[in-house]
Amino acid sequence: MKRLKTIGAALATGALALALAACGGNGGTVEGSSSAGDAATGSTYKIGVLQLTEHAALDAANEGFVAALDDSGIDYTIDQQNAQNDQPTCQTIASKLVNDGDDLILAIGTPAAQAVASATTDIPIIGTAITDFAESGLVADNEAPGGNVTGTSDLTPVADQIDLLQELLPDAQTVGLLYCTAEANSEVQIAMAEEALDAAGIAHERYTVSSSNEIQQVVESMVGNVDAIYTPTDNTIAAGMSTVAMVANEHQLPVIVGCDTMVEDGGLASYSINYYDLGYKAGQMAVRILTEGADPAEMPIEYLEASDCQLIANQQTADEVGVDISGLEDAEIV
């Protein structure tokens, strides 16, 4: 088994029930605090959250963020909003949070962050579950953001995921690359996957959707044309992963995916970051801004360490597609 490469080189509760109260663009403001309160200032901070859509990875990042706030001991109220993967709704919610005069806004997912960033240049914005902040136009540079936006990147070890594909599927000659064209950061990861596949001498073809409604048809079009599927941490695909798995597994078409929750929803295997930890790190950044006066413009985008990634595989899926995963050392089998 090849070891993980360094992720940085690729780009140089409260309670969960409270954190995830929103649905369909409707949210709720809830109190959050620890027993210590915010002894330093006596302030109750007002925090807005815009989550792009509901799926397990983004939910985990949200939970981790709230846990970091609680562990810090600050007093806060939090307004949880979910756009249900609709860009106009993102923009409407972003305007609401800005007009509410929040002290800080958390944006979960690239389109959510883009909507909030276009709505304010004054309120500090923490983004998370975003692959490349600079490529997405959110910051001037990932090392020196230069504005009111910073946060944590969910860049995954794409090259290692392609290595994993080769290990599990040594006879694969053509790989279908599945992603949503509306997600800029998916383009970044797909380009990285293409580079790794080229280096391995494996042919590849892009298969794209513009919305979740197209997933089943597009996956069906891959049957008989590719030997395996690779899909990155794409929010649209992740939210529709059960549909991808339904079609692909029925036709014994293995799917290597970008994160652990996509494996749990029927993908074959992944090297994955932990989205709870990613959100927790974002929460720690938020606390520094709120309590220490840290300036987002001078706070580099933060990443999880390569050592924090985990190898995960789905036994039921492996059985359905006829792939032997017994040789995956140290893997979490779900």
Side-chain angles (χ1 to χ4, degrees):
M1 176 67 64
K2 298 182 181 179
R3 306 316 304 164
L4 287 171
K5 302 173 179 68
T6 301
I7 294 180
L11 283 178
T13 312
L16 177 58
L18 297 178
L20 303 177
C23 181
N26 297 319
T29 301
V30 298
E31 299 288 340
S33 66
S34 74
S35 59
D38 187 5
T41 66
S43 299
T44 297
Y45 299 105
K46 189 175 181 180
I47 299 170
V49 175
L50 172 51
Q51 181 171 322
L52 174 62
T53 190
E54 289 177 288
H55 67 70
L58 300 191
D59 294 348
N62 198 329
E63 180 186 2
F65 178 84
V66 173
L69 298 182
D70 289 341
D71 288 348
S72 75
I74 66 171
D75 285 334
Y76 65 91
T77 63
I78 189 165
D79 182 5
Q80 289 279 352
Q81 299 286 335
N82 193 301
Q84 299 298 331
N85 209 22
D86 182 73
Q87 189 60 46
T89 302
C90 275
Q91 296 165 353
T92 300
I93 294 173
S95 296
K96 172 195 181 299
L97 297 177
V98 171
N99 291 336
D100 287 346
D102 290 326
D103 296 304
L104 181 141
I105 298 173
L106 170 70
I108 308 176
T110 303
Q114 290 169 329
V116 178
S118 68
T120 180
T121 58
D122 298 319
I123 298 173
I125 300 167
I126 294 289
T128 193
I130 297 164
T131 302
D132 188 336
F133 283 69
E135 185 72 20
S136 301
L138 293 167
V139 301
D141 184 271
N142 289 320
E143 288 299 313
N148 64 321
V149 180
T150 187
T152 57
S153 167
D154 66 351
L155 177 63
T156 58
V158 174
D160 288 286
Q161 291 166 354
I162 298 303
D163 285 347
L164 177 62
L165 185 153
Q166 289 182 267
E167 179 176 355
L168 293 177
L169 310 166
D171 296 327
Q173 297 181 355
T174 304
V175 174
L177 303 171
L178 177 64
Y179 68 102
C180 178
T181 53
E183 306 224 10
N185 282 308
S186 295
E187 293 269 3
V188 173
Q189 295 176 82
I190 290 297
M192 295 169 65
E194 289 174 328
E195 182 178 355
L197 289 166
D198 286 341
I202 300 174
H204 49 81
E205 183 176 352
R206 293 189 179 196
Y207 289 81
T208 63
V209 302
S210 60
S211 72
S212 59
N213 295 331
E214 300 173 1
I215 291 176
Q216 181 170 342
Q217 180 181 356
V218 171
V219 177
E220 287 174 346
S221 74
M222 302 168 80
V223 176
N225 293 312
V226 302
D227 303 307
I229 298 173
Y230 172 76
T231 186
T233 52
D234 181 295
N235 290 302
T236 299
I237 302 302
M241 190 62 211
S242 59
T243 300
V244 176
M246 177 187 69
V247 177
N249 295 350
E250 178 184 352
H251 294 278
Q252 294 190 311
L253 189 57
V255 187
I256 301 298
V257 296
C259 69
D260 53 355
T261 60
M262 297 171 78
V263 175
E264 293 166 359
D265 287 339
L268 176 60
S270 181
Y271 275 122
S272 175
I273 64 171
N274 184 298
Y275 275 83
Y276 178 94
D277 292 344
L278 190 74
Y280 195 95
K281 185 181 286 286
Q284 291 175 318
M285 296 178 76
V287 170
R288 295 202 301 272
I289 291 170
L290 293 170
T291 66
E292 301 174 15
D295 184 355
E298 300 175 357
M299 299 173 71
I301 304 305
E302 295 191 13
Y303 304 81
L304 295 179
E305 298 294 330
S307 58
D308 294 327
C309 291
Q310 66 176 133
L311 176 60
I312 182 170
N314 187 313
Q315 184 65 64
Q316 180 176 338
T317 296
D319 293 340
E320 290 179 5
V321 299
V323 174
D324 182 9
I325 61 173
S326 62
L328 294 181
E329 298 178 4
D330 303 322
E332 177 184 353
I333 306 299
V334 298

